[in-house]
Amino acid sequence: QVQLVESGGGLVQPGESLRLSCAASGSIFTMYSMNWYRQAPGKQRELVAAITSGGSTNYAGSVKGRFTISRGNAKNTVYLQMNSLSPQDTAVYYCNARGSTGGTHFAAWGQGTQVTVSS
């Protein structure tokens, strides 16, 4: 079993910043990628940012230049630095991890953390 714990969401005003954190634990042999998704009310869940074990990153066009995904010094941790937030960024943000336990591939999800951008 692989567990993800997220933190860092909250209420901010437009133009402000937030940093989300995610830590994965459990039977992880290899981590392929750690990713951030978000889901706004009435919308589908979308990929926001991804980082592979090799450090390659990928961003949704709507956040490119404003959000930065990075790996932490602690193993299997990932951060999402969000700058210049706008009301359109309001959503529940989910951490996702894909990897292998050594015998089985897994795709694990965190519980989600609410990000609200409002004046």
Side-chain angles (χ1 to χ4, degrees):
Q1 290 280 15
V2 176
Q3 298 83 36
L4 302 182
V5 177
E6 304 143 338
S7 61
L11 171 64
V12 296
Q13 294 189 344
E16 294 186 339
S17 300
L18 274 177
R19 190 175 83 151
L20 305 182
S21 303
C22 175
S25 62
S27 302
I28 301 169
F29 181 73
T30 302
M31 187 72 82
Y32 302 146
S33 68
M34 294 189 77
N35 318 293
W36 287 98
Y37 285 75
R38 68 185 180 187
Q39 188 166 20
K43 294 188 176 181
Q44 289 189 330
R45 190 172 297 190
E46 63 172 351
L47 177 65
V48 176
I51 187 165
T52 68
S53 59
S56 297
T57 58
N58 186 39
Y59 296 93
S62 60
V63 308
K64 200 171 290 185
R66 299 187 299 122
F67 291 12
T68 302
I69 189 170
S70 61
R71 293 179 299 183
N73 290 330
K75 197 174 180 181
N76 297 326
T77 61
V78 67
Y79 302 103
L80 184 68
Q81 178 67 41
M82 305 185 293
N83 298 329
S84 302
L85 285 161
S86 73
Q88 287 70 37
D89 297 313
T90 295
V92 177
Y93 284 70
Y94 297 92
C95 182
N96 165 259
R98 294 186 171 92
S100 170
T101 62
T104 306
H105 299 292
F106 67 84
W109 291 90
Q111 78 283 2
T113 185
Q114 178 70 47
V115 171
T116 303
V117 185
S118 176
S119 55

